[in-house]
Amino acid sequence: MGILDSKVPKGPLAEKWTNHKNSIDLVNPANKRNIDVIVVGTGLAGGSAAATLAELGYNVKTFCYQDSPRRAHSIAAQGGINASKNYQGDGDSDYRLFYDTIKGGDYRSREANVYRLAEVSTNIIDQCVAQGVPFAREYGGLLDNRSFGGVLVSRTFYAKGQTGQQLLLGAYAAMNRQIQRGKIRSFTRHEMLDLVLIDGKARGIIARNLVTGEIERHSAHAVVIASGGYGNLFFLSTYCMGANVMAAWRTHRRGAFFANPCFTQIHPTCIPVSGDHQSKLTLMSESLRNDGRIWVPKNLDDAKAIREGKLKPTELKEEDRDYYLERRYPAFGNLVPRDVASRAAKERCDAGYGVNKTGEAVYLDFSAAITRYGTEKAYTSGLKDPDADTVRRLGEEIIESKYGNLFQMYEKIVDQNPYKTPMMIYPAVHYTMGGLWVDYNLQTTIPGCYSVGESNFSDHGANRLGASALMQGLADGYFVLPYTIGDYLSNDIRTGKISTERAEFDEAEKAVKERLEKLMSGKGLHSVDYYHKKLGKIMWDKCGMSRNEKDLKQAISEISALRKDFWENVKVPGTANSKNQELEKAGRVADFLEIGELFAKDALERNESCGGHFREEYQTPEGEALRDDENYKYVAAWEYKGEPKDAKLHKEELAYEFIELKTRSYK
Amino acid sequence: MKIYLKIWRQKDATSKGQMVKYTMDGIEGDMSFLEMLDVLNEELISKGEEPVEFDHDCREGICGTCSLQINGRPHGPDTLITACQLHMRSFKDGDSITIEPFRAKAFPVIKDLIVDRSAFDRIQQAGGYISVNTSGNTVDANAIPIEKENADDSFYAATCIGCGACVAACKNASAMLFTSAKVSQFALLPQGRVEATDRVMNMVRQMDLEGFGNCTNTGACEVECPKGISLENIARMNREYLSASIKG
């Protein structure tokens, strides 16, 4: 097993978790009162973990950069959360949820972790309902379900288009109950700047109070990293503005391995970039592809005329439109998975067929659905010979009832009415499947340091299916970590309070202060955003939806040069000992400039295509992803050795004992 | 477009603040309001000045972080949106725009346009939860059927994003709409009923302790709420409070 021991328990797949829970060490409730745990990040994973650890009796300190735990970006998730409840009686089971998830991830996730995820999924729904999360219900008072992204059963629980919001508020409420009981101390507007190790174990953090600028020391018997993903290194993404990799990256710099950094999900249906001032991108739910048809003009001249505003999309004849997904993938059409749809849109735009000013947009057109629904409605209403306007009006009403809030959101941002003219969409960075390497107990390679939710790597493989991120966050936080961490903490019942006066805290604080001073001392002309945007462009152009050896090598050298320039020339106004948003950004971008290079290095190393990672050299004659199970069926876990170029690769071979690996095809 | 800005600048909580004028040129209609401020900040940094600090995060209207008083209205002139969803096309060439932080005694200024809304967290901590163990030993979710209409109304109350626009819009700086939204979410569900008395008494007590004013049924909160949280929630909270007072 070498240095990467996954600690996956022996025995049949369906019994591993139960057996493991029965055999791990427990901590006596009276002893839990003497043990402190730090949780960094208070989204779905961190919030639920903090609440449950406090419930069990541990003393918990939580840290978040937001002004309240309720604002974590889990709140923006729209679609829903999967659970193998089989309330619909349509044949769902833990095994089917497990199978869909592992196949959807292109066989690059850990079998035992994914099975456990499916197994605890039903508990999540029970827990959230008990907490008062107002899920959608049927008229009989029971919970409603819907189907999501390419699965054949109805297992997605939802609260309108705001499922993430309601689940996060549930975890936040559970946290509030523990704050009121004095079991959680919540440090808001705080940022973790370093991890403190004593005798090789995680024993605390150095944090900065973002209001006063004060550097604080916090000790604990274990540290949980729940800081989310690193997709903001692309600058433009569907992440919130503050999402950063700092806690995970600083942990990596202290010795935790970073796994599969190049696995990034690009979501195909986002509102395109409108100009140089753009600060972020907004997602349009995947569900729109159920009724929208995706197309670009067939002729380059028409595309040019549309871009210049001389031709309207509605004026283009049916035979002059290229419904490229339906053309290339007759079986799945517009409903191909996210990675396939994203690449196909890029291919058309790169070839010059893009339809907005920047040439980076395709149409998502509802006119056929409006006509179809309108005709059907007219027929069932007894209208024998309806005119076109009537059909259109009736059809728009149906579309509004299904997607009204999304159409309204689009109109607010783009200022065009999507009922009258096709939506413009383009792929955008949405989720990172890579993260801190963890074993079955969710422990990183640093003893006492754990990672949950999007900040770890284990459950989604190379691609993430819809409605599975919320499931993993809550599974880790409510039901997995609280058990597994006890195994480690049972050895700490005699340790006693850990002093923050120790030399290790002095050393870490000194390093943090030097780094802040260095950021403040740049004498150049450029702002932090200048560097962030440059990094984002390199990442998007060379490490985005498709990658090749030449571009990746170039990206590595460009990022390295940009990082050097940043440290010499970045200009951060104000002072370090007060509220300073530019300094906060500078620290985060400094980390993005490191992980960006490791990302490219990881992509260069992986000579295959799978999920969100598409290497142009490895594709079938039809242009589809070509996986190489023989050589790349492993987790790439990187060890920090100073500069990212020196990072050392360790491999955790993925063993599939219970399922057979197959090729995904959507023709 | 050319836009004239007047922005509240305040170094920290204890310093005296003042309005400062800025002129922006080349503003495009498809910029969001916050992207316009990003551009201003880039200009300030390049001139060696300190940028204007303001709270923002998701920039898609759901996290509730942004908190600007724009031309005297929380989140600006459009209805049912947050400041991050406001676009510059809502303004015209030559417009003057005044930008201030949300104003309320219970929301002290931290810096420039950033205010401290942690009072909202403390109101939630006083009882905005159901006391259930997070152990996974709960009953099956479908064991508690809930009437669809109640579940939907509970959901609408629960969509409050906690931005504080209701407080900033209210002449009394009252937090009644915010507090009542959470009270209503649980009042409409069977799960949290056993502790309803304590919940409403404790949350209202905390709301008063934080220095929020009283409700005089003016209704400005409902008008300015980006999520359309209804005044009916305040009526529901008043009923809950009355029955709790009688019991208590």
Side-chain angles (χ1 to χ4, degrees), chain A residues 103-119:
Chain A
K103 178 185 167 202
D106 229 346
Y107 304 96
R108 292 292 176 266
S109 39
R110 196 186 285 144
E111 208 178 31
N113 288 52
V114 179
Y115 194 88
R116 175 175 65 190
L117 175 68
E119 196 179 339

Side-chain angles (χ1 to χ4, degrees), chain A residues 583-598:
Chain A
L583 179 59
E584 293 163 27
K585 273 200 283 188
R588 295 165 188 171
V589 171
D591 290 344
F592 286 142
L593 284 162
E594 291 181 12
I595 195 176
E597 190 178 330
L598 187 69

Side-chain angles (χ1 to χ4, degrees), chain A residues 60 88 118 121 139 166 214-215 236 326 343 525 556 623 640:
Chain A
V60 179
Q88 308 297 337
S121 67
Y139 282 100
Q166 293 310 316
E214 211 174 320
I215 302 299
L236 286 180
E326 297 168 39
R343 275 195 296 277
L525 293 170
I556 289 171
Y640 182 78

Side-chain angles (χ1 to χ4, degrees), chain A residues 48 51-53 55 65-73 75-76 78 85 87 123 125-143 159-162 165-166 169 172-180 186 188-189 211 238-243 274-275 277-283 357 408-409 411-415 478-479 483 525-530 533 571 573-575 578-582 584-585, chain B residues 11 28-32 34-36 38-39 41-42 44-60 62-66 78-81 85 87 89 110-111 114-118 120-122 124-152 154-164 178 182 185-186 189 191-192 195 202 206 227:
Chain A
S48 58
T52 309
L53 291 168
E55 177 90 59
Y65 73 80
Q66 297 92 343
D67 71 327
S68 165
R70 66 171 292 145
R71 308 212 196 277
H73 201 52
I75 207 161
Q78 297 169 349
K85 277 285 196 185
Y87 281 156
N123 274 350
I125 305 304
D126 298 341
Q127 182 67 49
C128 294
V129 167
Q131 285 168 353
V133 171
F135 282 114
R137 286 182 183 265
E138 293 168 344
Y139 282 100
L142 302 180
L143 291 159
K160 286 238 163 50
Q162 282 130 289
Q165 178 192 32
Q166 293 310 316
L169 293 181
Y172 164 71
M175 269 184 76
N176 281 335
R177 177 165 164 257
Q178 300 301 333
I179 292 170
Q180 187 74 348
S186 159
T188 58
R189 294 196 195 267
V211 176
T238 66
Y239 285 68
C240 59
M241 301 298 285
S274 58
H277 53 266
Q278 191 97 11
S279 60
K280 80 153 268 159
L281 299 171
T282 301
L283 183 77
K357 269 190 289 185
Q408 190 196 15
M409 194 199 286
E411 191 168 358
K412 282 277 179 209
I413 293 173
V414 184
D415 201 26
Y478 281 138
F479 304 124
Y483 280 103
L525 293 170
H526 300 305
S527 68
V528 177
D529 275 358
Y530 166 87
K533 284 182 183 176
K571 182 171 174 178
T575 59
S578 66
K579 178 107 191 76
N580 188 337
Q581 288 179 329
E582 282 299 302
E584 293 163 27
K585 273 200 283 188
Chain B
K11 199 164 163 282
E28 295 159 30
D30 63 7
M31 279 181 179
S32 76
L34 301 189
E35 284 164 358
M36 182 271 294
D38 292 341
V39 173
N41 280 343
E42 281 292 301
L44 292 178
I45 294 167
S46 73
K47 284 193 282 186
E49 293 175 32
E50 283 197 39
V52 180
E53 299 222 350
F54 58 98
D55 259 336
H56 61 96
D57 206 14
C58 78
R59 294 206 176 185
E60 49 188 271
I62 189 73
C63 73
T65 307
C66 53
D78 285 3
T79 54
L80 293 173
I81 58 168
Q85 293 173 297
H87 280 71
R89 66 179 78 95
I110 290 176
K111 184 177 183 181
I114 299 176
V115 297
D116 179 357
R117 285 167 290 178
S118 54
F120 270 16
D121 283 331
R122 291 187 291 273
Q124 301 277 315
Q125 285 152 18
Y129 48 79
I130 289 174
S131 299
V132 58
N133 197 318
T134 42
S135 63
N137 292 321
T138 43
V139 297
D140 182 83
N142 262 349
I144 322 160
I146 299 171
E147 203 178 314
K148 181 171 164 48
E149 202 174 313
N150 284 344
D152 285 350
S154 173
F155 167 80
Y156 287 122
T159 56
C160 165
I161 56 173
C163 64
F178 169 79
K182 203 68 190 173
Q185 178 193 343
F186 295 133
L189 297 173
Q191 292 96 326
E195 52 191 331
N202 290 339
Q206 189 64 37
K227 297 296 152 186

Side-chain angles (χ1 to χ4, degrees), chain B residues 174-181 204 207 213-215 233-234 237-238:
Chain B
S174 166
M176 284 286 270
L177 194 69
F178 169 79
T179 310
S180 70
V204 169
M207 186 177 82
N214 288 320
C215 174
N233 292 302
I234 295 182
M237 180 166 86
N238 284 336

